[in-house]
Amino acid sequence: MKITKENEIALVKEILTKLGASKQDSELVAEATVDADAKGFTSHGLGRFPQYINAIEHKTINLDDDITIEKETPAIALINGNSGFGQAVSSKAMKLAVEKAKDVGIGCVGVHNSNHFGVTGFYSDLAIKEGCIGLVIANTEPAIAPIGSKNKLLGTNPLAIGVPSDTYISMDMATSATARGKILECKRKGIEIPDGWALDKDGNPTNDPEAALEGSILPFGGVKGYVLAFMIEVLTGPLVNASWGLGVTGTVDTTKDCTKGDLYVAIDPSKFVSMDQFKEETEAFCSEVRESGDTFIPGDLEVKKIADAEENGISIDENLYKQLKEICSNLNVDLDKYLEE
């Protein structure tokens, strides 16, 4: 079965408003959720939505949320998310970063006491839409073992960078061989994970998603992925007054308070060169790359996925349907009216 982008937004908004979320927060969560699904990151779209419902039930997501700016200068700010929806807190953080970038050239906003926010690239996209370069990093519950260790101590620690241009230029990646959400998705679907993704608790390669979740996910690129995950852990833990290493909770087990941290950076290119020059030269580089062979620009795949989602809808597997059906039944929401065969 499938759901259109418009119906997915409407479904998420109806569920969240019935649970008591504000109109603004419901819209932000819905937009971030469908963005993930449309780009092909289905592990972070509707597939992750039951996790948010569980968090609301355990009161680890605060429906009466509003951010608190704890420290601020013209270029930086530190935000306490007050346990609100990660999507709402993160959108406000990047908006503030963009405002600062427009004023002084760069804005850097740290966040703690927030929640899982979906796909990282949604927030770098917010900067792109305002004519800024966007960079977003975050830490998560431990998933990666340091090189030479079997004990997971670092998160999957995603990184997203987006560049304003006539071409959609965006990268969004975990520092692990795969996002933990993809392993959770394989577990839900009852399928094996590919070779090279993870180790079991004894440090042996595994294709069993359950064993992978008990064990550790491999860093992408070996040492390079590990050291990048390490640096992100520092920049989104100690730097922003959030937890780090084994102290990070709540990004998977939503019965616990979320203690992760995020960092949102916006850069206004017009403070360096004219925006016309920046875009012209960036487009020239894109053309140079495309003309070099059968290759692609970061963001091309997402553009194709979005076009496919708009034409053909977003697929929902049987187990996810059952999870959503239970949520909707408890709230007197007619799930099936939103779906297509």
Side-chain angles (χ1 to χ4, degrees):
M1 59 199 73
K2 294 188 175 183
I3 188 169
T4 66
K5 288 176 60 179
E6 295 74 19
N7 280 355
E8 181 170 325
I9 289 173
L11 171 63
V12 171
K13 286 169 63 175
E14 182 177 1
I15 291 172
L16 292 181
T17 52
K18 285 200 172 185
L19 284 167
S22 69
K23 179 180 178 182
Q24 180 189 49
D25 284 2
S26 298
E27 289 175 348
L28 289 172
V29 175
E31 289 170 5
T33 300
V34 78
D35 180 75
D37 281 328
K39 288 177 179 174
F41 301 118
T42 54
S43 57
H44 287 60
L46 272 180
R48 209 62 175 259
F49 192 66
Q51 175 180 314
Y52 305 146
I53 303 303
N54 188 56
I56 294 170
E57 291 173 350
H58 285 87
K59 301 187 185 304
T60 54
I61 285 181
N62 174 22
L63 293 178
D64 298 322
D65 73 286
D66 198 8
I67 64 170
T68 300
I69 299 177
E70 296 180 332
K71 294 183 178 181
E72 189 171 20
T73 74
I76 69 169
L78 179 65
I79 285 177
N80 183 334
N82 294 319
S83 297
F85 283 105
Q87 294 87 344
V89 176
S90 301
S91 295
K92 295 170 185 176
M94 182 52 88
K95 179 180 177 181
L96 180 58
V98 167
E99 289 175 357
K100 292 180 177 297
K102 294 289 188 179
D103 186 24
V104 298
I106 187 168
C108 184
V109 177
V111 170
H112 65 101
N113 197 17
S114 183
N115 273 289
H116 189 275
F117 58 31
V119 289
T120 317
F122 179 75
Y123 308 100
S124 52
D125 280 358
L126 295 181
I128 291 176
K129 292 172 183 176
E130 297 298 326
C132 287
I133 297 166
L135 184 152
V136 183
I137 55 177
N139 66 5
T140 74
E141 285 181 55
I144 298 175
I147 297 295
S149 172
K150 293 189 298 184
N151 302 316
K152 52 189 178 187
L153 295 174
L154 302 102
T156 55
N157 296 6
L159 161 68
I161 302 174
V163 177
S165 180
D166 294 334
T167 297
Y168 177 66
I169 305 175
S170 175
M171 60 152 282
D172 184 354
M173 56 174 277
T175 51
S176 49
T178 186
R180 178 166 25 207
K182 290 185 178 180
I183 297 179
L184 290 167
E185 186 173 45
C186 288
K187 178 184 175 183
R188 187 187 75 234
K189 292 180 176 180
I191 60 176
E192 291 189 337
I193 63 173
D195 292 339
W197 273 18
L199 306 176
D200 64 21
K201 63 182 180 181
D202 297 317
N204 301 310
T206 184
N207 299 107
D208 180 354
E210 186 70 47
L213 293 168
E214 292 178 1
S216 62
I217 306 174
L218 291 166
F220 89 90
V223 172
K224 292 180 180 179
Y226 159 57
V227 297
L228 183 55
F230 182 98
M231 298 306 290
I232 291 176
E233 195 80 31
V234 174
L235 296 178
T236 57
L239 181 65
V240 300
N241 198 31
S243 294
W244 42 269
L246 295 176
V248 183
T249 60
T251 61
V252 177
D253 182 0
T254 51
T255 65
K256 298 179 180 179
D257 289 333
C258 190
T259 61
K260 76 176 180 87
D262 314 324
L263 194 67
Y264 303 85
V265 180
I267 301 170
D268 183 355
S270 70
K271 298 296 193 293
F272 290 86
V273 296
S274 73
M275 184 60 79
D276 287 344
Q277 179 184 338
F278 177 76
K279 286 188 173 183
E280 181 179 337
E281 294 189 5
T282 300
E283 284 300 316
F285 178 52
C286 288
S287 297
E288 192 173 85
V289 170
R290 292 193 194 281
E291 292 166 3
S292 71
D294 185 17
T295 186
F296 62 94
I297 302 300
D300 281 356
L301 179 59
E302 286 81 358
V303 170
K304 291 180 181 178
K305 292 277 189 179
I306 291 169
D308 180 69
E310 289 176 344
E311 181 177 354
N312 300 309
I314 296 161
S315 295
I316 295 178
D317 64 78
E318 187 63 31
N319 286 334
L320 177 55
Y321 172 78
K322 291 177 181 177
Q323 291 176 343
L324 294 172
K325 189 70 172 179
E326 181 178 357
I327 291 169
C328 289
S329 295
N330 292 335
L331 295 170
N332 195 29
V333 172
D334 183 2
L335 171 62
D336 294 322
K337 76 176 183 181
Y338 292 106
L339 305 180
E340 300 175 353
E341 292 296 332

XYZ file of all heavy atoms in Angstrom, residues 245-310:
498
model
N 29.073 10.032 24.516
C 29.412 8.644 24.780
C 28.260 7.868 25.388
O 27.122 7.937 24.938
N 28.571 7.130 26.451
C 27.576 6.283 27.100
C 26.468 7.083 27.777
O 25.436 6.530 28.141
C 28.264 5.379 28.136
C 29.244 4.342 27.577
C 29.925 3.581 28.713
C 28.536 3.376 26.642
N 26.673 8.380 27.932
C 25.655 9.208 28.581
C 24.512 9.616 27.679
O 23.509 10.166 28.141
N 24.628 9.355 26.372
C 23.578 9.755 25.426
C 22.463 8.716 25.435
O 22.691 7.535 25.201
C 24.131 9.917 24.000
C 23.025 10.406 23.065
C 25.302 10.898 23.981
N 21.256 9.161 25.692
C 20.075 8.284 25.721
C 18.934 8.942 24.948
O 18.984 10.128 24.611
C 19.605 8.025 27.160
O 19.271 9.286 27.780
C 20.687 7.336 27.981
N 17.897 8.140 24.686
C 16.641 8.694 24.188
C 16.485 8.842 22.698
O 15.409 9.216 22.230
N 17.505 8.530 21.890
C 17.318 8.628 20.439
C 16.733 7.347 19.862
O 16.175 7.344 18.771
C 18.640 8.949 19.715
O 19.589 7.897 19.955
C 19.223 10.264 20.204
N 16.858 6.248 20.604
C 16.255 4.970 20.215
C 15.274 4.508 21.290
O 14.116 4.234 21.011
C 17.332 3.886 19.975
C 16.667 2.550 19.633
C 18.268 4.302 18.857
N 15.747 4.436 22.523
C 14.889 4.053 23.642
C 14.168 5.296 24.144
O 14.670 6.042 24.973
C 15.725 3.426 24.761
C 14.868 2.959 25.935
O 13.635 3.127 25.888
O 15.451 2.426 26.898
N 12.968 5.507 23.632
C 12.249 6.747 23.922
C 11.542 6.740 25.272
O 10.841 7.688 25.608
C 11.231 7.049 22.811
O 10.419 5.892 22.582
C 11.941 7.421 21.526
N 11.748 5.672 26.050
C 11.241 5.698 27.427
C 12.173 6.515 28.317
O 11.819 6.845 29.450
C 11.121 4.272 28.003
O 12.429 3.678 28.114
C 10.242 3.402 27.125
N 13.351 6.843 27.786
C 14.329 7.629 28.531
C 14.407 9.045 27.953
O 14.181 9.258 26.766
C 15.710 6.972 28.460
C 15.771 5.591 29.086
C 17.162 4.993 28.946
C 17.239 3.613 29.572
N 18.589 3.011 29.414
N 14.740 10.007 28.800
C 14.919 11.378 28.322
C 16.027 11.419 27.284
O 17.051 10.736 27.397
C 15.279 12.304 29.488
C 14.102 12.537 30.424
O 12.956 12.455 29.965
O 14.345 12.776 31.622
N 15.839 12.240 26.273
C 16.833 12.373 25.208
C 17.909 13.363 25.641
O 17.609 14.522 25.973
C 16.175 12.842 23.917
S 17.266 12.773 22.489
N 19.157 12.913 25.632
C 20.256 13.742 26.138
C 21.273 14.087 25.066
O 22.356 14.565 25.369
C 20.968 13.021 27.299
O 21.515 11.777 26.818
C 20.010 12.734 28.439
N 20.926 13.845 23.808
C 21.855 14.137 22.717
C 22.024 15.644 22.520
O 21.305 16.464 23.111
C 21.344 13.528 21.411
C 20.190 14.325 20.774
C 19.794 13.726 19.442
C 18.657 14.505 18.794
N 19.134 15.617 17.984
N 22.968 16.010 21.644
C 23.159 17.414 21.294
C 23.241 17.596 19.794
O 23.501 16.650 19.045
N 23.001 18.825 19.334
C 23.059 19.164 17.911
C 23.824 20.473 17.745
O 23.891 21.300 18.665
C 21.654 19.382 17.319
C 20.645 18.320 17.705
O 21.034 17.145 17.803
O 19.475 18.675 17.922
N 24.341 20.680 16.535
C 24.971 21.948 16.188
C 24.505 22.356 14.797
O 24.579 21.563 13.849
C 26.499 21.825 16.209
C 27.296 23.131 16.200
C 27.075 23.907 17.497
C 28.780 22.859 16.007
N 24.006 23.577 14.673
C 23.467 24.109 13.426
C 24.286 25.327 13.010
O 24.417 26.290 13.778
C 21.995 24.509 13.603
C 21.153 23.360 14.088
C 21.056 23.066 15.449
C 20.493 22.534 13.183
C 20.320 21.983 15.897
C 19.757 21.451 13.625
C 19.673 21.178 14.984
O 18.956 20.090 15.417
N 24.831 25.270 11.800
C 25.671 26.362 11.297
C 25.093 26.865 9.975
O 24.778 26.076 9.082
C 27.124 25.899 11.083
C 27.978 27.053 10.547
C 27.721 25.351 12.384
N 24.960 28.172 9.872
C 24.534 28.804 8.618
C 25.594 29.819 8.213
O 26.115 30.554 9.066
C 23.181 29.489 8.776
N 25.915 29.841 6.923
C 26.908 30.778 6.386
C 26.276 31.523 5.222
O 25.695 30.903 4.314
C 28.164 30.038 5.890
C 28.813 29.242 7.033
C 29.170 31.021 5.288
C 29.908 28.293 6.568
N 26.384 32.836 5.238
C 25.851 33.656 4.151
C 26.951 33.875 3.122
O 27.905 34.628 3.367
C 25.373 35.000 4.703
C 24.730 35.876 3.638
O 24.746 35.478 2.451
O 24.230 36.960 3.986
N 26.875 33.230 1.945
C 27.933 33.378 0.935
C 28.132 34.814 0.476
O 29.240 35.193 0.071
C 27.439 32.501 -0.227
C 26.476 31.556 0.388
C 25.814 32.314 1.498
N 27.066 35.609 0.538
C 27.164 36.987 0.038
C 28.087 37.849 0.886
O 28.462 38.945 0.477
C 25.773 37.629 -0.030
O 25.260 37.877 1.276
N 28.458 37.354 2.066
C 29.410 38.093 2.902
C 30.846 37.845 2.444
O 31.773 38.515 2.899
C 29.257 37.686 4.368
C 27.880 38.006 4.968
C 27.611 39.502 5.017
C 26.423 39.841 5.891
N 25.126 39.356 5.371
N 31.029 36.853 1.542
C 32.350 36.550 0.989
C 32.481 37.095 -0.432
O 33.408 37.827 -0.752
C 32.575 35.028 0.973
C 32.754 34.416 2.326
C 31.652 34.031 3.084
C 34.020 34.195 2.847
C 31.807 33.450 4.331
C 34.193 33.617 4.093
C 33.088 33.243 4.845
N 31.554 36.672 -1.296
C 31.502 37.138 -2.684
C 30.047 37.440 -2.983
O 29.162 37.143 -2.177
C 32.048 36.070 -3.660
C 33.525 35.796 -3.405
C 31.249 34.770 -3.550
N 29.775 38.013 -4.151
C 28.375 38.254 -4.484
C 27.666 36.915 -4.639
O 28.269 35.915 -5.057
C 28.259 39.070 -5.773
O 28.584 38.271 -6.898
N 26.378 36.879 -4.311
C 25.615 35.643 -4.441
C 25.576 35.175 -5.886
O 25.647 33.972 -6.165
C 24.198 35.826 -3.904
C 23.363 34.550 -3.910
S 24.085 33.214 -2.913
C 23.593 33.761 -1.276
N 25.484 36.127 -6.828
C 25.475 35.758 -8.246
C 26.769 35.048 -8.624
O 26.746 34.029 -9.335
C 25.282 36.999 -9.121
C 23.863 37.536 -9.079
O 22.966 36.781 -8.632
O 23.647 38.690 -9.476
N 27.896 35.590 -8.158
C 29.177 34.965 -8.478
C 29.277 33.583 -7.849
O 29.729 32.622 -8.494
C 30.334 35.832 -7.978
C 31.710 35.226 -8.248
C 32.845 36.052 -7.663
O 32.684 37.240 -7.416
N 33.995 35.415 -7.454
N 28.843 33.461 -6.591
C 28.911 32.181 -5.893
C 28.097 31.123 -6.636
O 28.571 30.010 -6.885
C 28.391 32.325 -4.461
C 28.354 31.035 -3.700
C 29.522 30.474 -3.202
C 27.153 30.371 -3.491
C 29.493 29.270 -2.511
C 27.111 29.170 -2.785
C 28.288 28.616 -2.300
N 26.870 31.469 -7.007
C 26.016 30.509 -7.699
C 26.552 30.183 -9.090
O 26.521 29.026 -9.529
C 24.591 31.050 -7.795
C 23.829 31.009 -6.476
C 22.360 31.363 -6.681
C 21.563 31.168 -5.409
N 20.120 31.444 -5.609
N 27.047 31.203 -9.793
C 27.554 30.991 -11.148
C 28.735 30.027 -11.134
O 28.813 29.094 -11.942
C 27.977 32.332 -11.759
C 28.487 32.216 -13.185
C 28.884 33.564 -13.780
O 28.371 34.595 -13.293
O 29.707 33.566 -14.710
N 29.652 30.228 -10.185
C 30.837 29.377 -10.146
C 30.499 27.983 -9.610
O 31.092 26.989 -10.046
C 31.927 30.047 -9.320
C 32.439 31.328 -9.961
C 33.670 31.904 -9.270
O 34.188 31.260 -8.335
O 34.108 33.003 -9.668
N 29.554 27.925 -8.698
C 29.128 26.622 -8.201
C 28.467 25.815 -9.310
O 28.720 24.612 -9.470
C 28.151 26.784 -7.017
O 28.798 27.492 -5.953
C 27.689 25.433 -6.492
N 27.622 26.477 -10.121
C 26.980 25.799 -11.242
C 28.002 25.373 -12.285
O 27.880 24.301 -12.889
C 25.932 26.716 -11.872
C 24.644 26.838 -11.082
C 23.941 25.501 -10.908
O 23.852 24.731 -11.883
O 23.499 25.220 -9.784
N 29.023 26.212 -12.481
C 30.076 25.849 -13.447
C 30.811 24.600 -12.984
O 31.156 23.730 -13.796
C 31.052 27.014 -13.606
N 31.027 24.496 -11.685
C 31.685 23.309 -11.134
C 30.797 22.083 -11.306
O 31.265 21.003 -11.668
C 32.038 23.528 -9.665
C 32.683 22.338 -9.009
C 33.785 21.719 -9.588
C 32.191 21.828 -7.818
C 34.382 20.617 -8.987
C 32.784 20.737 -7.209
C 33.879 20.116 -7.801
N 29.492 22.248 -11.064
C 28.562 21.134 -11.254
C 28.607 20.648 -12.699
O 28.627 19.429 -12.963
C 27.138 21.554 -10.898
S 26.841 21.767 -9.131
N 28.624 21.580 -13.633
C 28.686 21.215 -15.058
C 29.983 20.486 -15.379
O 29.999 19.498 -16.137
C 28.575 22.469 -15.933
O 27.323 23.099 -15.757
N 31.070 20.953 -14.797
C 32.375 20.318 -15.013
C 32.368 18.870 -14.535
O 32.894 17.977 -15.199
C 33.451 21.123 -14.280
C 34.879 20.778 -14.618
C 35.847 21.738 -13.963
O 36.204 21.496 -12.789
O 36.229 22.737 -14.599
N 31.748 18.663 -13.381
C 31.663 17.306 -12.833
C 30.797 16.431 -13.724
O 31.163 15.293 -14.062
C 31.114 17.336 -11.387
C 30.798 15.920 -10.902
C 32.105 18.002 -10.446
N 29.630 16.925 -14.122
C 28.714 16.118 -14.938
C 29.355 15.748 -16.278
O 29.139 14.653 -16.803
C 27.418 16.881 -15.172
C 26.568 17.088 -13.918
C 25.177 17.557 -14.283
N 24.428 18.085 -13.150
C 23.824 17.340 -12.233
N 23.915 16.028 -12.312
N 23.151 17.902 -11.241
N 30.125 16.668 -16.821
C 30.733 16.433 -18.128
C 31.926 15.491 -18.056
O 32.433 15.030 -19.093
C 31.169 17.769 -18.751
C 29.992 18.657 -19.145
C 30.409 20.089 -19.439
O 31.631 20.372 -19.393
O 29.510 20.928 -19.693
N 32.366 15.167 -16.832
C 33.559 14.335 -16.678
C 33.277 12.858 -16.872
O 34.208 12.058 -17.031
C 34.178 14.558 -15.294
O 33.359 13.993 -14.275
N 31.999 12.466 -16.848
C 31.670 11.055 -17.008
C 30.272 10.750 -16.512
O 29.465 11.657 -16.287
N 30.015 9.457 -16.332
C 28.699 9.015 -15.855
C 28.671 9.135 -14.336
O 28.784 8.154 -13.602
C 28.443 7.573 -16.285
C 27.047 7.099 -15.914
O 26.187 7.963 -15.624
O 26.820 5.875 -15.893
N 28.521 10.345 -13.851
C 28.628 10.620 -12.419
C 27.424 11.423 -11.947
O 26.419 11.544 -12.654
C 29.951 11.333 -12.100
O 30.105 11.475 -10.677
C 30.028 12.707 -12.766
N 27.499 11.976 -10.761
C 26.348 12.680 -10.189
C 26.822 13.766 -9.239
O 27.980 13.799 -8.815
C 25.444 11.689 -9.436
C 26.130 11.027 -8.264
C 26.018 11.557 -6.993
C 26.891 9.879 -8.439
C 26.661 10.963 -5.911
C 27.534 9.271 -7.370
C 27.420 9.818 -6.101
N 25.897 14.644 -8.903
C 26.124 15.712 -7.924
C 25.461 15.275 -6.621
O 24.358 14.720 -6.644
C 25.509 17.040 -8.418
C 26.095 17.435 -9.768
C 25.714 18.159 -7.390
C 27.582 17.636 -9.785
N 26.096 15.524 -5.466
C 25.421 15.208 -4.198
C 24.053 15.890 -4.135
O 23.953 17.108 -4.254
C 26.375 15.777 -3.139
C 27.716 15.770 -3.799
C 27.449 16.074 -5.248
N 23.017 15.093 -3.997
C 21.651 15.600 -4.011
C 20.850 15.087 -5.194
O 19.612 15.084 -5.161
N 21.543 14.613 -6.255
C 20.844 14.108 -7.442
C 19.912 12.954 -7.100
O 18.775 12.882 -7.596
C 21.846 13.642 -8.500
C 22.447 14.786 -9.302
O 22.024 15.942 -9.097
O 23.336 14.520 -10.131
N 20.399 12.027 -6.281
C 19.589 10.861 -5.943
C 18.319 11.281 -5.220
O 17.234 10.760 -5.498
C 20.386 9.888 -5.082
C 19.645 8.623 -4.636
C 19.169 7.820 -5.847
C 20.537 7.764 -3.732
N 18.443 12.233 -4.292
C 17.274 12.700 -3.546
C 16.261 13.362 -4.476
O 15.048 13.188 -4.311
C 17.701 13.673 -2.454
C 18.375 13.025 -1.256
C 19.843 12.722 -1.479
O 20.357 12.975 -2.586
O 20.492 12.215 -0.544
N 16.748 14.116 -5.457
C 15.846 14.762 -6.422
C 15.038 13.712 -7.182
O 13.822 13.858 -7.381
C 16.646 15.645 -7.401
C 15.758 16.117 -8.545
C 17.240 16.845 -6.665
N 15.698 12.631 -7.587
C 14.996 11.551 -8.302
C 13.987 10.870 -7.391
O 12.877 10.533 -7.819
C 16.015 10.544 -8.828
C 16.895 11.066 -9.957
C 17.888 10.010 -10.418
C 18.783 10.539 -11.530
N 19.786 9.527 -11.958
N 14.389 10.634 -6.144
C 13.490 9.974 -5.194
C 12.245 10.825 -4.943
O 11.122 10.314 -4.855
C 14.219 9.725 -3.876
C 15.330 8.692 -3.950
C 14.804 7.291 -3.842
C 15.916 6.277 -3.690
N 15.420 4.903 -3.560
N 12.444 12.134 -4.793
C 11.320 13.032 -4.557
C 10.354 13.011 -5.735
O 9.132 12.962 -5.558
C 11.821 14.466 -4.278
C 12.536 14.522 -2.924
C 10.663 15.464 -4.303
C 13.288 15.816 -2.666
N 10.907 13.040 -6.941
C 10.065 13.005 -8.141
C 9.264 11.707 -8.196
O 8.070 11.700 -8.544
C 10.929 13.149 -9.389
N 9.903 10.595 -7.819
C 9.214 9.311 -7.822
C 8.112 9.275 -6.764
O 7.018 8.757 -7.018
C 10.215 8.187 -7.560
C 9.561 6.821 -7.563
O 9.128 6.376 -8.639
O 9.454 6.200 -6.481
N 8.403 9.833 -5.590
C 7.399 9.862 -4.518
C 6.198 10.704 -4.918
O 5.052 10.363 -4.605
C 8.022 10.396 -3.234
N 6.461 11.808 -5.614
C 5.357 12.669 -6.043
C 4.500 11.991 -7.111
O 3.288 12.180 -7.160
C 5.925 13.989 -6.565
C 6.501 14.867 -5.453
C 7.157 16.134 -5.974
O 7.440 16.192 -7.202
O 7.408 17.041 -5.168
